[in-house]
Amino acid sequence: MTMPDLVAERDFSPQVKRWLERQRNRDFHALMLSAGSDADRRNAALQIECRRKVRRKLPEAAANDAFLFPTLLSVEQCTSEALAAYHASLVAPGSSVLDMTSGLGIDVLAIARRATHVTALERTPEVSYSLQYNASVMGLDNIDAVCADSVEWIKRTDRKFDLIFIDPARRDGDGGRIYNLADCEPDVVDLMQRMLEVAPEVIVKASPMFDIARAVKELSPYVVAVRTIGTESECKELLITCRRDSQEPVCREAVTIGKEGVSLFGWNPDADSGITLRICNSVVDNQILYEPWPAVMKSGAFRQLCLQYDVAQLDLDTHLFLSDEFNRDFPGTAYRIAGVYEFNKSSIKELRSKYGHINVAVRNFVMTATDLERRLKIKSGGTCKLFGVRAAGEMRLIVGEPLALVLFFKHAGHGALILTLAYALALVVFFLTTTYAYHHFGKSAVVDKHFQRNDCEAGLFAAFGQLGYLLFVEEKATVAAGLVVIICAVEVLGYIHVFNPHLSVSNITESIHKARFSKTY
């Protein structure tokens, strides 16, 4: 498929749009079969499927109906926009950058917003062409997409850059995983000296499965920084920075991209040798248990965690941490210990009777998490987490409760607690009052007749009254549950009304008043 064969979603013909409308509930493979040899329909199916796959990974690109997705493979292999934004933050403003393995170009588009110029090498023609097109769609005129083999291109070029970014393929020709940099394509170990002749700095993106010490050894003596990058649930990649003729010590950093921003945890690994790993002597209820984020775990900086955050590790190879007081700066998820149990039949029986749902994880334990779940016979889910661990030399089952509410009140203080309790009390009073009012006036009455309101608040008032009446007077819990859905819908419409005053909800509210479910009962 070449560039002329590809069109963006906005350019679909009316006939193709009508075909998509008829086929929209079918999966991608069925769509492609239905499209047959019709190039326009096949491309339309591709654009729609790619948007389905990347709407969370690439929200900006997916929302732009002019953005062009050339192949499914390029979409599956591309960097997320959040990670690309972090990569771009490592580029000095005004730099000239060479991306040797651009692919779909999400990194290129992010870097181009900081750099003076970006040259993007990609050997697949339609992917390279689409990158140049997407650059113009995004309003970027400082990107030069070159369709070429990056190894041959860099060997021949006489151009110079400030930075090279390279993300070598992490699978072999048979699709198997690769665990050494020298086995990747391109071979960054073999190319490093030439890349550092073209640019003084090279950033290598590598698989999180790679052994960090081995990767540093392969690229020695050029390595100056190693970063483990991830989210709060997964380690995504390693970033290895190499510089020409550098004598700097290798700095290490764990980067977690979360909902509240980017968390950085950095240290000098040369200092680790002088730090003693603190091991806890016991685990008791109400202590704080910390589970480091995946990028921190991958970094292996366990001594530094103990030193910087005043915590102790559960056991020599059990990388969970403990403290008596909550440390909000710890780079991980915190739990308050709700129970510590010996690993035996009576404890398992007690846990089974106490928890209907619980999430299970293991650290340095005698069995896998899956085997422990089978042994417990407790459904997965809920808010609590059970850790099977070796702690203080013994096998233990530790139940942790999330600290979300604790965090809220710790940040907001006693005022937040008072306001929350007051709000909860007001809801209870409101609920009981509306229930009484509805029962007193009769289920066929229209609340507006008594309260002279015709807006969203009156609708909620009536709905709460109906809900209480159904639950406590007529004891019809099933229909009461249905009314909860209506209450939620009115709440949503109320928010829409706040942000768009021209959209009236009075008609919808009035219909709720009139419906009243009175004919049903």
Side-chain angles (χ1 to χ4, degrees):
M1 187 177 289
T2 61
M3 187 61 186
D5 297 325
L6 291 168
V7 294
E9 186 174 350
R10 70 176 182 184
D11 299 320
F12 293 164
S13 68
Q15 293 86 352
V16 170
K17 289 181 179 179
R18 285 196 295 272
W19 174 78
L20 277 175
E21 184 64 25
R22 293 194 303 270
Q23 307 285 337
R24 63 181 177 180
N25 293 324
R26 305 181 70 181
D27 64 30
F28 175 65
H29 299 291
L31 274 176
M32 294 298 278
L33 284 172
S34 176
S37 59
D38 189 315
D40 290 341
R41 291 185 178 186
R42 292 181 69 85
N43 177 53
L46 172 65
Q47 298 307 310
I48 297 301
E49 179 65 11
C50 288
R51 278 173 169 75
R52 286 178 189 164
K53 286 180 174 291
V54 302
R55 61 181 180 271
R56 292 186 179 180
K57 186 178 180 181
L58 309 175
E60 183 183 359
N64 189 334
D65 64 2
F67 195 93
L68 196 60
F69 296 96
T71 64
L72 271 179
L73 182 62
S74 65
V75 166
E76 291 166 356
Q77 294 180 341
C78 74
T79 303
S80 70
E81 287 176 358
L83 283 174
Y86 177 73
H87 297 161
S89 72
L90 302 177
V91 177
S95 300
S96 60
V97 179
L98 170 66
D99 188 328
M100 289 186 60
T101 49
S102 63
L104 185 61
I106 303 303
D107 281 315
V108 172
L109 296 171
I111 290 170
R113 292 184 170 100
R114 287 176 64 88
T116 301
H117 186 269
V118 182
T119 299
L121 304 181
E122 171 55 49
R123 64 184 179 184
T124 307
E126 61 265 33
V127 178
S128 180
Y129 299 155
S130 66
L131 173 54
Q132 194 70 66
Y133 169 82
N134 288 331
S136 63
V137 165
M138 294 298 191
L140 299 168
D141 59 2
N142 59 339
I143 294 174
D144 182 18
V146 178
C147 183
D149 180 279
S150 60
V151 175
E152 295 302 319
W153 190 92
I154 200 168
K155 285 179 179 179
R156 295 194 308 267
T157 189
D158 57 358
R159 294 178 59 185
K160 301 296 181 183
F161 298 88
D162 298 312
L163 173 70
I164 292 176
F165 187 87
I166 184 168
D167 178 11
R170 308 170 195 176
R171 292 184 182 272
D172 58 25
D174 298 323
R177 291 188 179 275
I178 292 172
Y179 297 98
N180 298 307
L181 282 171
D183 296 329
C184 292
E185 185 184 358
D187 180 351
V188 293
V189 176
D190 183 58
L191 279 177
M192 184 55 66
Q193 187 171 352
R194 174 56 185 162
M195 287 192 291
L196 289 173
E197 291 172 359
V198 174
E201 183 172 330
V202 176
I203 296 178
V204 180
K205 178 181 170 181
S207 166
M209 302 298 293
F210 284 11
D211 180 83
I212 294 176
R214 180 183 295 176
V216 170
K217 185 177 180 180
E218 284 185 287
L219 295 176
S220 182
Y222 306 114
V223 179
V224 295
V226 178
R227 296 175 174 90
T228 53
I229 320 290
T231 64
E232 293 178 5
S233 59
E234 182 183 4
C235 186
K236 295 288 190 180
E237 63 190 31
L238 303 182
L239 282 187
I240 305 170
T241 302
C242 299
R243 290 197 187 121
R244 183 194 304 160
D245 302 324
S246 176
Q247 302 299 318
E248 303 172 35
V250 178
C251 74
R252 297 280 289 276
E253 195 169 49
V255 181
T256 300
I257 301 172
K259 296 176 182 177
E260 298 180 0
V262 178
S263 168
L264 304 177
F265 170 60
W267 74 100
N268 181 353
D270 292 341
D272 267 7
S273 58
I275 301 171
T276 302
L277 181 65
R278 293 174 57 192
I279 305 295
C280 69
N281 297 318
S282 62
V283 185
V284 297
D285 290 2
N286 294 318
Q287 286 184 301
I288 307 301
L289 183 71
Y290 303 92
E291 183 181 19
W293 286 322
V296 180
M297 285 286 290
K298 175 65 181 177
S299 72
F302 307 122
R303 288 184 172 85
Q304 287 290 336
L305 288 172
C306 292
L307 176 68
Q308 293 189 32
Y309 301 103
D310 193 24
V311 295
Q313 193 165 286
L314 287 191
D315 208 279
L316 184 60
D317 294 312
T318 307
H319 305 308
L320 296 173
F321 298 83
L322 203 65
S323 70
D324 293 326
E325 298 295 328
F326 174 59
N327 187 329
R328 65 180 297 271
D329 295 323
F330 188 93
T333 304
Y335 303 86
R336 186 183 299 281
I337 294 178
V340 181
Y341 302 85
E342 294 181 2
F343 181 51
N344 55 39
K345 290 183 179 179
S346 61
S347 295
I348 289 173
K349 186 176 180 181
E350 182 181 349
L351 286 165
R352 195 179 296 150
S353 64
K354 191 172 183 180
Y355 296 97
H357 294 78
I358 201 165
N359 299 296
V360 176
V362 297
R363 296 287 188 277
N364 192 22
F365 198 56
V366 292
M367 62 179 64
T368 65
T370 302
D371 291 337
L372 181 55
E373 281 183 349
R374 291 197 191 102
R375 185 83 173 269
L376 290 169
K377 296 180 181 177
I378 302 175
K379 293 181 180 178
S380 179
T383 57
C384 294
K385 193 165 186 176
L386 184 144
F387 294 92
V389 300
R390 178 185 293 276
E394 301 290 340
M395 293 299 165
R396 291 286 185 265
L397 301 176
I398 300 176
V399 176
E401 296 177 340
L403 278 174
L405 288 176
V406 176
L407 283 170
F408 171 72
F409 292 124
K410 200 168 186 73
H411 286 306
H414 296 294
L417 177 60
I418 294 170
L419 286 173
T420 303
L421 292 175
Y423 181 69
L425 180 62
L427 279 178
V428 171
V429 171
F430 178 69
F431 183 66
L432 294 177
T433 303
T434 51
T435 300
Y436 172 79
Y438 191 87
H439 183 42
H440 177 71
F441 297 138
K443 61 183 179 181
S444 62
V446 177
V447 174
D448 277 354
K449 180 179 179 181
H450 302 278
F451 297 97
Q452 300 299 316
R453 299 296 299 273
N454 191 32
D455 56 13
C456 197
E457 292 177 16
L460 286 174
F461 191 98
F464 266 108
Q466 175 75 48
L467 179 61
Y469 184 83
L470 289 169
L471 285 174
F472 299 130
V473 180
E474 296 197 352
E475 298 181 352
K476 296 187 177 179
T478 304
V479 184
L483 191 60
V484 170
V485 176
I486 293 179
I487 292 173
C488 293
V490 175
E491 287 275 21
V492 171
L493 289 168
Y495 280 114
I496 293 172
H497 182 64
V498 169
F499 291 108
N500 185 2
H502 301 291
L503 179 63
S504 173
V505 298
S506 60
N507 292 336
I508 298 170
T509 305
E510 185 176 352
S511 67
I512 293 173
H513 292 180
K514 291 177 180 178
R516 270 299 175 254
F517 297 100
S518 55
K519 293 182 180 179
T520 308
Y521 308 116

